[in-house]
Amino acid sequence: MSEAASYSVRDGIAVITMNNPPVNGLGSVLRPGIMDGIKKAAADPAVKALVLIGSAKAFSGGADIREFNTPKMTVPPSLQEINQAQDDFPKPMVAAIGGFALGGGLELALACHYRVALPKSQLGLPEVKLGLLPGSGGTQRLPRVVGAAQGIQMMTTGNSIPAEKALALGLVDEIVQGDLLEGAIAFAKKLNKPKRIRDLSVKVEGDPKAFFEKARAEVGKASRGFPAPLEIVACVEAAVNLPFEEGRKVERAGFQRLVEGNESKAMRHMFFAERQTAKIPDVPDDTPTRPIRSAAVIGAGTMGGGIAMNFANVGIPVSMMDVTQEAVDKGFKKIKDNYASTVSKGRLKQEEMDKRISLIKTITKLEDAKDADIVIEAVFERMDVKQDMFRKLDAVMKPGAILASNTSTLDVNAIAAVTRRPQDVIGTHFFSPANVMRLLEVVRGAKTAKDVLATTMKLGKTIKKVAVVSGVCDGFIGNRMVEKYGQQSLFLIDEGCSPQQVDAAAYKWGMAMGPLAMGDMAGLDIGWEIRKRRTIERPDFIYSKVGDKVAELGRYGQKTGKGWYRYDLPNRTPIPDPEVENIISDYRKEKNIQTRKISDEEIVERLIYALVNEAAYILEEGIAQRASDVDMVYLSGYGFPPYRGGPMFYADTIGLKNVLNSIQRFQTGYQGAVWKPAPLLVKLAKEGKTFNG
């Protein structure tokens, strides 16, 4: 037996205990121990049944994904070989599930003949969240127990179910009250013979052909661009139509296709990238942090209200301040409406809403926020307004309070400079709507103290955000890059594209929405304001004035019912508008621009490579710590498709040499002067390396 699994016999019942912390991952160190135990129990005539158990907190979290695409993945025995040994085992075998049985962990439990579980244990096959399908019989066994519809639903969403629901579905045979091992042994003693799932048939509602046609249509629509969900449907169809072993072959072929494909590699990259963001080279993990027991938010608008909700959601009392009672009342009402909407959809209980609302206090005087451990300023995005507010905060906030700015582009050092405590100042750039969007850019000023940075990163985790550290520059990581993306979208319109062609190409490629529709949602007045500032600060900044022409007519997007598109509010579906076509046409004539037909492929390359090239500058300047941080900014804040892994990972899969060749080609085209290849991109392309190497 390996150290990761122990074997004992209790009263005629063999017990294999998995002990591979933290989640009993079924890696190369644990699998041999399980197999040895099964063989021992099979060979011992004194053994009447076998119990396979983990700990009360974890049966098994499944495969060790760090071993994927490495030799360790194939170290014998494989999970499939263990499953075969389970099928061949001549005596009853019981999985005793505590905490969770997920992925390969649930496949291991499904290959046991019976399953018992502690109350509230979670059972699921979440492989789809890594761009994969269950590869060790899960797609064949689960539907045989719960039926085709429930099996597809569980595997294509990847969401787990509690033991109580699993009992109702027949996935669990008994819920154990009290000690799990004692309960499992008592259950095993009552058994006479094995009951193999592989011998069952799959229940399908109605005609199988019609059922799977409908399933494909629904899953395809819900999983736009993701290959794994449709592969899962094909595997369940095989479970219905083919003998068990033939179905297993279909599953294995699907798994191999996915594990070797870019989509799964991208989603696994995303999984590890998210965990990397918290690592800051010069701020050790054991850096002391300041306690955050209360918070204050200055500004009761959309951003301020959304930020306040983040604190209330995790039980931290928060004061929300604005200059008039009318403004705070309006902001507070919006918060209540937001919560009420979530309650009406069944995603929040009324008592939980009441509890959260009770944690939000409205104030109109800064002095009333003075005792907060952190104050987040969410006032108008203009340097003089921000600096004025920070002078006031410096005067009233208690010593040791963190002074944070929700600026999206401005210089955090210039904001910190007006205080007597620049070490306590940091940028916390939330994304709208702040109570929904997962990204939080944490902007580290030149004088930001290490404990302030560590505290803010920890707070980001507490309020369930993906916190990514950025250095100080105009726009930080995300908005600095998106400016180049927007710049290209307008150049594409200059050259002959319609807004809907640009947006459709980006959407079809996988973006949550196109750049023009995104502008309409954010508000075209914001981009217009930034461009006006750019003209003064950076006269060399080249951009198309076509966006200004739209904004000058008061077309600010969804908020005014007109932007690049027309909107029949409250319906926010974009409708192409002839007035915009005229604005664009007049602008082209005024600038004497020769239009041409532009392919969707060129649209996507120009938009995405503009992001990549700017990000290479950002990395070189040390604004972002690592390429995977840039990827996380775009995956969690800008609607970048997860199955492409973020801009930098995508560039790696295309090949940096190919990206550079395209950029050099764009240098010879319209407004080619803006395409200056980043030295880091040139260097890595030349050396045949990657950003995420």
Side-chain angles (χ1 to χ4, degrees):
M1 294 290 288
S2 74
E3 284 176 22
S6 61
Y7 179 85
S8 60
V9 178
R10 290 241 329 247
D11 218 5
I13 308 295
V15 178
I16 298 172
T17 305
M18 298 182 284
N19 181 28
N20 185 27
V23 297
N24 280 326
L26 296 169
S28 50
V29 296
L30 178 56
R31 294 193 304 267
I34 298 171
M35 186 65 115
D36 289 349
I38 292 171
K39 285 177 179 170
K40 261 189 197 174
D44 186 348
V47 167
K48 301 289 176 251
L50 168 64
V51 168
L52 181 58
I53 191 169
S55 68
K57 290 184 179 171
F59 175 75
S60 171
D64 184 341
I65 66 169
R66 287 166 303 193
E67 293 187 357
F68 285 2
N69 304 106
T70 74
K72 283 185 177 177
M73 188 180 173
T74 53
V75 168
S78 65
L79 184 55
Q80 292 88 344
E81 287 164 336
I82 291 171
N83 294 158
Q84 189 59 55
Q86 290 172 280
D87 280 336
D88 295 341
F89 192 72
K91 310 162 193 184
M93 185 187 293
V94 180
I97 298 167
F100 50 79
L102 300 173
L106 182 55
E107 289 180 302
L108 184 69
L110 283 164
C112 289
H113 310 143
Y114 302 87
R115 282 148 298 285
V116 300
L118 286 175
K120 297 191 170 64
S121 300
Q122 294 290 314
L123 291 83
L125 293 170
E127 286 86 349
V128 74
K129 294 180 180 180
L130 292 174
L132 295 169
L133 56 78
S136 196
T139 66
Q140 303 304 294
R141 285 191 170 94
L142 184 68
R144 281 175 158 81
V145 183
V146 303
Q150 179 71 32
I152 287 172
Q153 201 269 333
M154 280 179 70
M155 289 186 284
T156 57
T157 63
N159 297 334
S160 54
I161 58 169
E164 292 70 16
K165 185 174 181 184
L167 180 70
L169 290 168
L171 185 54
V172 160
D173 298 289
E174 189 176 282
I175 301 226
V176 174
Q177 307 295 338
D179 184 81
L180 178 60
L181 182 57
E182 297 302 328
I185 288 172
F187 180 84
K189 282 180 176 175
K190 295 184 287 191
L191 303 172
N192 299 317
K193 60 180 195 296
K195 187 180 77 177
R196 295 177 181 84
I197 288 173
R198 63 176 292 155
D199 298 334
L200 306 173
S201 56
V202 184
K203 290 188 189 73
V204 185
E205 295 160 16
D207 171 55
K209 192 165 182 284
F211 171 85
F212 283 104
E213 266 173 31
K214 188 178 174 214
R216 271 195 182 84
E218 286 173 358
V219 168
K221 191 178 173 190
S223 61
R224 176 175 77 93
F226 289 79
L230 287 170
E231 289 270 15
I232 287 168
V233 175
C235 289
V236 175
E237 190 169 27
V240 171
N241 295 329
L242 300 173
F244 182 80
E245 287 304 334
E246 294 301 309
R248 283 289 303 270
K249 285 178 190 165
V250 171
E251 178 190 84
R252 277 318 290 165
F255 181 84
Q256 279 309 123
R257 267 194 302 277
L258 292 170
V259 84
E260 285 160 17
N262 283 333
E263 292 85 358
S264 174
K265 285 175 185 167
M267 291 171 81
R268 281 178 270 149
H269 165 72
M270 182 177 166
F271 177 84
F272 289 118
E274 187 172 331
R275 281 142 189 79
Q276 277 286 105
T277 59
K279 295 187 184 349
I280 307 163
D282 66 328
V283 181
D285 290 346
D286 59 358
T287 301
T289 55
R290 302 183 188 186
I292 303 289
R293 298 188 193 96
S294 64
V297 179
I298 313 302
T302 305
M303 273 319 275
I307 294 168
M309 287 173 77
N310 283 303
F311 288 101
N313 291 349
V314 295
I316 298 173
V318 58
S319 301
M320 183 172 70
M321 185 241 157
D322 217 312
V323 284
T324 67
Q325 192 60 46
E326 188 190 359
V328 284
D329 288 348
K330 190 179 166 192
F332 193 55
K333 183 184 181 298
K334 186 149 192 214
I335 289 172
K336 281 207 238 183
D337 291 346
N338 269 336
Y339 279 134
S341 164
T342 313
V343 169
S344 72
K345 289 171 186 156
R347 296 207 302 262
L348 189 70
K349 289 192 167 69
Q350 183 63 47
E351 56 266 34
E352 182 59 31
M353 167 178 161
D354 297 341
K355 188 173 133 195
R356 293 179 187 188
I357 289 285
S358 73
L359 289 166
I360 302 170
K361 192 169 96 181
T362 60
I363 57 174
T364 54
K365 287 202 224 49
L366 266 189
E367 289 71 22
D368 293 340
K370 69 179 190 299
D371 292 325
D373 295 312
I374 184 168
V375 57
I376 299 176
E377 158 280 306
V379 301
F380 191 67
E381 182 76 355
R382 224 174 61 200
M383 183 58 83
D384 56 339
V385 179
K386 302 270 191 198
Q387 287 180 324
D388 183 49
M389 178 52 69
F390 269 76
R391 285 187 191 98
K392 291 172 181 167
L393 291 173
D394 188 31
V396 303
M397 296 308 293
K398 71 179 184 186
I402 294 174
L403 313 184
S405 173
N406 176 52
T407 176
S408 55
T409 55
L410 300 176
D411 185 341
V412 171
N413 293 330
I415 294 171
V418 301
T419 72
R420 288 161 299 172
R421 38 173 144 175
Q423 73 281 1
D424 292 340
V425 176
I426 196 162
T428 49
H429 178 207
F430 287 82
F431 286 71
S432 187
N435 53 305
V436 176
M437 295 298 281
R438 291 181 71 224
L439 178 61
L440 174 65
E441 275 185 321
V442 176
V443 186
R444 180 184 195 174
K447 294 184 177 171
T448 302
K450 287 183 182 181
D451 68 330
V452 168
L453 182 57
T455 303
T456 309
M457 292 298 285
K458 184 182 174 186
L459 176 64
K461 198 172 181 184
T462 303
I463 61 173
K464 301 180 169 58
K465 299 293 181 197
V466 176
V468 179
V469 177
S470 171
V472 174
C473 67
D474 198 337
F476 316 127
I477 298 169
N479 282 347
R480 177 170 158 184
M481 287 166 63
V482 92
E483 185 172 78
K484 300 292 185 185
Y485 180 78
Q487 182 189 46
Q488 283 303 317
S489 71
L490 298 190
F491 287 161
L492 285 159
I493 287 173
D494 286 358
E495 277 198 273
C497 293
S498 64
Q500 45 277 28
Q501 188 197 349
V502 175
D503 281 350
Y507 180 79
K508 188 179 168 194
W509 184 80
M511 296 298 286
M513 57 171 51
L516 291 317
M518 184 173 79
D520 275 1
M521 189 179 75
L524 299 183
D525 50 331
I526 297 167
W528 186 31
E529 199 62 45
I530 291 169
R531 287 194 298 273
K532 282 191 276 191
R533 179 160 63 81
R534 289 279 185 279
T535 308
I536 299 160
E537 293 170 3
R538 282 165 39 197
D540 61 326
F541 184 74
I542 305 163
Y543 71 95
S544 164
K545 304 287 191 295
V546 72
D548 297 355
K549 300 281 186 193
V550 173
E552 281 161 11
L553 295 175
R555 301 181 66 109
Y556 294 161
Q558 290 183 10
K559 63 175 98 172
T560 57
K562 284 181 176 181
W564 287 106
Y565 300 94
R566 186 168 61 74
Y567 300 88
D568 290 340
L569 298 173
N571 187 330
R572 292 174 185 272
T573 306
I575 304 159
D577 191 341
E579 192 180 329
V580 172
E581 287 170 27
N582 293 335
I583 295 167
I584 294 168
S585 172
D586 290 346
Y587 179 74
R588 288 172 184 156
K589 279 181 200 146
E590 181 197 322
K591 295 290 178 188
N592 197 21
I593 299 167
Q594 295 300 308
T595 59
R596 65 185 177 91
K597 201 167 164 38
I598 298 173
S599 69
D600 285 1
E601 186 185 11
E602 183 183 333
I603 291 170
V604 169
E605 282 195 347
R606 280 169 62 176
L607 293 175
I608 305 305
Y609 296 172
L611 292 175
V612 170
N613 195 46
E614 192 61 22
Y617 280 110
I618 285 169
L619 282 171
E620 206 158 1
E621 292 164 25
I623 299 297
Q625 299 181 104
R626 53 186 79 87
S628 62
D629 281 8
V630 174
D631 287 335
M632 279 321 299
V633 165
Y634 268 77
L635 290 162
S636 52
Y638 288 85
F640 204 90
Y643 57 83
R644 298 204 190 273
M648 311 316 269
F649 183 87
Y650 176 69
D652 289 345
T653 63
I654 293 296
L656 300 192
K657 202 178 241 178
N658 296 326
V659 173
L660 181 59
N661 288 343
S662 293
I663 287 175
Q664 286 167 339
R665 191 172 75 249
F666 299 148
Q667 282 184 293
T668 64
Y670 179 71
Q671 300 290 17
V674 303
W675 288 102
K676 294 187 180 79
L680 178 63
L681 171 62
V682 175
K683 178 177 178 285
L684 293 174
K686 227 174 238 172
E687 294 168 359
K689 290 182 178 168
T690 60
F691 288 120
N692 285 289

